[in-house]
Amino acid sequence: EIRKDPVNPSHATFNLFVQAQTCKDVKHHFAALCRQLDINPKDFSCFYVTLKERLNYWKAKALWTKLDKRAAHPDYKQGKACIKNKCLVLGAGPCGLRTAIELSLLGAQVVVLEKRESFSRNNVLHLWPFTICDLCGLGAKKFYGRFCTGSLDHICIRQLQLVLLKVSLLLGVEVHTGVEFQGLIEPTGDNGWMAKLQPGSHPAATFQFDVFISAGGGRFVPDGFKHKELRGKLAIGITTNFINRHTAAEAQVAEISGVARIYNQKFFQELLTETDIDLENIVYYKDDTHYFVMTAKKKSLLKKGVIKQDYSNAEELLAPANVDHEALYRYAHDAAYFSTGGKLPDLQFAQNHAGQPDVAMFDFTCMQRAEHASLVRERRGKKLLMCLVGDCLVEPFWPLGTGVARGFLASFDTAWMVRSWGMGVPHLNVLAERESIYQLLSQTTPENTSKNYAGYSIDPKTRYKRVNLSSIQTNQVRTVILYLLNRDLNPSQLLPIVQALKLLKWCQKHTLGYENVNVEDFTQSWRSGLALCALIHHFKPQLIDMSSMDVSSVVHNNQLAFSILEKELGIPPVMSASDLANSGQIDKLSMVLYLTQVQSAFTMPAK
Ligand code: FAD
């Protein structure tokens, strides 16, 4: 069959939309398509169906087949599961957009806000097999022909955003760029929850919603959430992109998918000897650009003049005034040149959003992780479900390439949560289930998640091999809500205080009489580690020898208690032994959650 070029103008516009390579062009061609087909993109609930009816174009059909298949999944209940919900998504990064797609498939009205006007990140994301399968299922190859061809398992951030933006728009998601979210506005009068935006006169400022998804990227912490800082040893990451001219010579150069130092000492030694560049690891992906990400040692950065002065504090060390950009460019260039055996001809930097060589240095010494993935706020009888996804939930270490894979898992988990919310499941149960699932996220790997990628859905059971949807109980979450939202107390929420007090009494009762133990609170009293050891000894004397304990070996005591509780009772530690040893670092909420688990483990009736 010979296909003719489209004569219908909407067909041509659809082609332009599918091929568009900038955020602006995508939006422009989409608006033109809506005008030509006389469809109002605000009619979100019937948008996709009307579009399919009116755009009777063979090239679009293959895409409809894919999207229809996804939409037909029973989880979405024919797009009716969340028909009454209105969701505001903050951030059009990969995770914000991926979540928006799921929420619209569930039937919710979805508005996405993005402060940037353009998608400009060249950097490349590693994709786990399930994310490739997921994106193919959304038609990624139709929008971006080179998507994961052959054995490629990566995509640049900009392309991923473009694919997801296009799918979002086709499914009726409203995406606004160039608008900054500045905070939530509490309900007043008849109004529900709204957002304070910049510019304030933006039409989305009148949108009232009952679900707020924060996908604002690393370090973005919406009000009410707490982040935990995981401080590791100093880690300085450098990313750089070179122009890919797609020549045969470039095509032949092999990618480097993670040469960890321990595996290839010889390579790093040669690099050091020949160039004075000292790296922990390096990754090279051939994508729209030649992309490199590496972790560099401070000493070599100082020696090569990239960092001007040595400071012990990473922030001061990497402050713009302390970095010589020309030296950084040389460092990145030489590392890239050496690691590809000098085979990439004419390495020229690609440009970043500011028109400068795309080389950047980042500090990964402290990684943020949200303590909770979700919470519920209530004002004037109007409830708001707040959820974190993507980097603002768990910040990834880029050289490991976990960002988008764990990001998508959390997007699906969040959609599953919004589904329960929309279906009227009591909010404590909704939160408890979400927190139970969140506990698994940081441990996920391609190996320990299900290999049946085609079977992945928003239902966590299809993805996580071992998931206990109720490892966190509603009474624990109740305490969470209470502690986080003490401004919102109403009589029905007083119960958690009582429960926390009961927990304290229980701890006091079972640690009574132990030397150097005096439980009075959920912080200080636990510092020496002896109170935890005493609790263990009270219930399982055979597991611990109290007479050998030394009140001053604080870290050791805590370590011992944590490892016994983890090994014997399966309770993962909530903080590091040294955090607990440092009373300023003890988080009351985490301690309450931890002790609640200890209490249930010890008081569970024997089977
Ligand atoms: P992001 O992709 O960070 O998206 C968040 C979005 O929210 C952004 O578009 C931001 O503009 C928007 N936003 C933030 N605040 C507001 C607000 N108040 N109002 C409106 N919009 C807002 N990962 C790698 O694996 N390798 C890399 O080399 C790499 N390089 C990166 C370079 C940069 C500059 C950044 C920011 C991230 C990089 N990442 C990298 C991380 C990777 O991009 C993320 O893991 C992945 O994109 C998933 O992130 P996300 O969707 O949660 O957030």
Side-chain angles (χ1 to χ4, degrees):
E1 192 186 352
I2 298 165
R3 307 282 195 191
K4 291 209 180 98
D5 278 346
V7 279
N8 186 328
S10 65
H11 294 186
T13 310
F14 179 77
N15 282 340
L16 290 171
F17 168 77
V18 167
Q19 287 153 19
Q21 283 298 299
T22 65
C23 175
K24 191 167 149 224
D25 283 353
V26 172
K27 294 187 69 177
H28 170 77
H29 296 307
F30 180 74
L33 188 66
C34 291
R35 273 197 308 277
Q36 285 163 348
L37 297 174
D38 193 23
I39 322 178
N40 182 357
K42 294 243 177 208
D43 291 338
F44 67 95
S45 58
C46 55
F47 181 81
Y48 173 63
V49 174
T50 318
L51 178 72
K52 272 199 313 186
E53 266 167 28
R54 299 200 183 161
L55 186 74
N56 191 7
Y57 177 31
W58 67 270
K59 263 196 172 174
K61 291 216 166 104
L63 184 61
W64 302 157
T65 308
K66 284 193 174 280
L67 296 179
D68 286 347
K69 186 171 170 223
R70 178 95 203 175
H73 196 285
D75 286 350
Y76 306 120
K77 298 196 169 276
Q78 286 133 12
K80 298 208 164 48
C82 293
I83 206 147
K84 293 205 198 98
N85 300 100
K86 293 174 186 300
C87 310
L88 186 76
V89 179
L90 187 169
C95 298
L97 289 170
R98 189 66 195 85
T99 312
I101 290 170
E102 289 308 311
L103 299 179
S104 81
L105 289 169
L106 284 162
Q109 181 178 2
V110 188
V111 174
V112 178
L113 303 177
E114 170 55 56
K115 67 179 176 193
R116 300 182 210 194
E117 287 282 11
S118 61
F119 296 159
S120 56
R121 283 180 278 168
N122 289 322
N123 283 1
V124 175
L125 301 172
H126 173 63
L127 299 173
W128 292 4
F130 93 83
T131 44
I132 297 177
C133 181
D134 176 64
L135 288 162
C136 284
L138 295 176
K141 273 190 193 289
K142 310 262 174 255
F143 300 113
Y144 178 46
R146 279 209 304 274
F147 178 73
C148 290
T149 35
S151 59
L152 292 192
D153 57 359
H154 46 76
I155 186 170
C156 72
I157 304 176
R158 190 172 60 80
Q159 285 293 356
L160 179 57
Q161 283 177 288
L162 286 172
V163 167
L164 294 170
L165 173 66
K166 290 172 193 173
V167 178
S168 301
L169 291 173
L170 293 176
L171 293 177
V173 174
E174 211 177 300
V175 183
H176 299 279
T177 52
V179 52
E180 185 176 3
F181 171 89
Q182 295 193 321
L184 291 168
I185 301 177
E186 295 186 357
T188 47
D190 286 340
N191 287 340
W193 289 90
M194 297 200 285
K196 180 168 186 284
L197 304 181
Q198 180 60 255
S201 57
H202 193 279
T206 56
F207 181 57
Q208 299 178 32
F209 45 90
D210 66 325
V211 176
F212 173 71
I213 309 285
S214 174
R219 319 256 146 143
F220 183 89
V221 189
D223 213 18
F225 285 93
K226 271 169 77 179
H227 271 62
K228 228 171 142 141
E229 221 177 56
L230 301 174
R231 184 172 284 273
K233 68 179 180 68
L234 182 72
I236 303 170
I238 296 174
T239 59
T240 180
N241 289 280
F242 299 95
I243 296 170
N244 186 352
R245 298 183 181 80
H246 301 283
T247 60
E250 286 166 287
Q252 278 184 0
V253 183
E255 296 193 332
I256 309 170
S257 50
V259 184
R261 188 172 194 97
I262 37 169
Y263 297 120
N264 201 338
Q265 294 205 3
K266 188 165 161 272
F267 166 81
F268 289 104
Q269 192 52 54
E270 281 169 10
L271 175 69
L272 178 62
T273 318
E274 288 189 31
T275 65
D276 274 341
I277 292 173
D278 200 359
L279 302 181
E280 305 269 359
N281 56 37
I282 185 161
V283 171
Y284 158 51
Y285 289 139
K286 200 179 333 220
D287 210 283
D288 273 9
T289 56
H290 294 290
Y291 160 82
F292 294 81
V293 58
M294 58 199 95
T295 318
K297 292 205 177 166
K298 178 170 91 168
K299 215 167 131 196
S300 81
L301 290 168
L302 281 164
K303 185 162 181 196
K304 302 281 277 181
V306 176
I307 296 177
K308 295 179 193 162
Q309 277 202 32
D310 193 2
Y311 292 100
S312 56
N313 173 314
E315 215 169 301
E316 277 177 289
L317 190 71
L318 299 187
N322 199 36
V323 175
D324 177 338
H325 287 276
E326 291 300 327
L328 174 62
Y329 298 161
R330 275 195 301 278
Y331 192 98
H333 174 280
D334 293 354
Y337 185 81
F338 184 90
S339 60
T340 47
K343 292 204 193 98
L344 278 179
D346 189 20
L347 277 177
Q348 261 183 35
F349 288 116
Q351 291 191 344
N352 65 13
H353 63 281
Q356 299 295 320
D358 194 351
V359 185
M361 191 151 64
F362 301 88
D363 170 25
F364 288 104
T365 312
C366 280
M367 307 291 281
Q368 306 260 10
R369 183 178 195 285
E371 287 198 354
H372 306 284
S374 57
L375 63 87
V376 173
R377 300 180 72 171
E378 187 171 356
R379 288 286 190 290
R380 296 174 168 257
K382 299 211 163 74
K383 288 200 181 83
L384 176 70
L385 176 64
M386 297 176 70
C387 326
L388 304 182
V389 299
D391 287 12
C392 76
L393 181 64
V394 177
E395 234 185 317
F397 179 53
W398 301 347
L400 285 182
T402 49
V404 96
R406 292 202 181 130
F408 276 20
L409 288 173
S411 291
F412 299 154
D413 296 339
T414 302
W416 182 250
M417 174 188 207
V418 176
R419 176 182 184 270
S420 307
W421 176 259
M423 287 165 55
V425 175
H427 71 263
L428 286 179
N429 298 61
V430 172
L431 292 173
E433 187 177 282
R434 177 73 193 95
E435 297 307 320
S436 301
I437 300 165
Y438 177 46
Q439 303 231 311
L440 297 177
L441 190 66
S442 291
Q443 282 110 51
T444 49
T445 62
E447 286 70 41
N448 67 14
T449 39
S450 163
K451 296 277 184 302
N452 177 15
Y453 309 128
Y456 272 39
S457 78
I458 56 174
D459 183 345
K461 291 201 273 319
T462 61
R463 291 172 280 117
Y464 303 114
K465 279 191 193 153
R466 278 186 305 149
V467 55
N468 175 358
L469 296 180
S470 50
S471 65
I472 302 260
Q473 301 291 316
T474 49
N475 61 351
Q476 291 169 279
V477 177
R478 223 185 256 277
T479 327
V480 171
I481 299 178
L482 174 89
Y483 273 85
L484 290 174
L485 298 179
N486 44 15
R487 287 185 300 155
D488 291 77
L489 280 185
N490 67 39
S492 71
Q493 287 173 313
L494 281 174
L495 191 58
I497 295 189
V498 179
Q499 277 166 344
L501 286 176
K502 272 191 189 161
L503 177 68
L504 191 65
K505 275 207 172 130
W506 179 85
C507 296
Q508 286 166 337
K509 181 173 162 200
H510 298 298
T511 52
L512 201 67
Y514 282 92
E515 204 177 332
N516 293 317
V517 176
N518 184 17
V519 174
E520 287 181 329
D521 51 29
F522 289 113
T523 50
Q524 284 286 8
S525 313
W526 302 88
R527 200 188 82 85
S528 74
L530 287 186
L532 265 183
C533 293
L535 263 184
I536 299 171
H537 185 261
H538 175 83
F539 288 97
K540 304 242 172 187
Q542 72 280 13
L543 292 181
I544 198 161
D545 174 11
M546 286 305 281
S547 64
S548 69
M549 307 296 295
D550 173 2
V551 67
S552 59
S553 308
V554 174
V555 174
H556 168 264
N557 300 344
N558 282 309
Q559 195 80 62
L560 182 70
F562 280 162
S563 72
I564 294 179
L565 289 169
E566 185 166 26
K567 253 196 253 140
E568 301 292 331
L569 300 171
I571 305 170
V574 280
M575 54 188 96
S576 74
S578 50
D579 273 355
L580 188 54
N582 175 352
S583 58
Q585 303 264 9
I586 302 181
D587 177 62
K588 186 151 103 188
L589 192 60
S590 309
M591 212 50 207
V592 169
L593 283 178
Y594 189 61
L595 289 169
T596 308
Q597 293 187 65
V598 175
Q599 181 189 32
S600 14
F602 280 137
T603 51
M604 217 157 35
K607 283 194 184 133

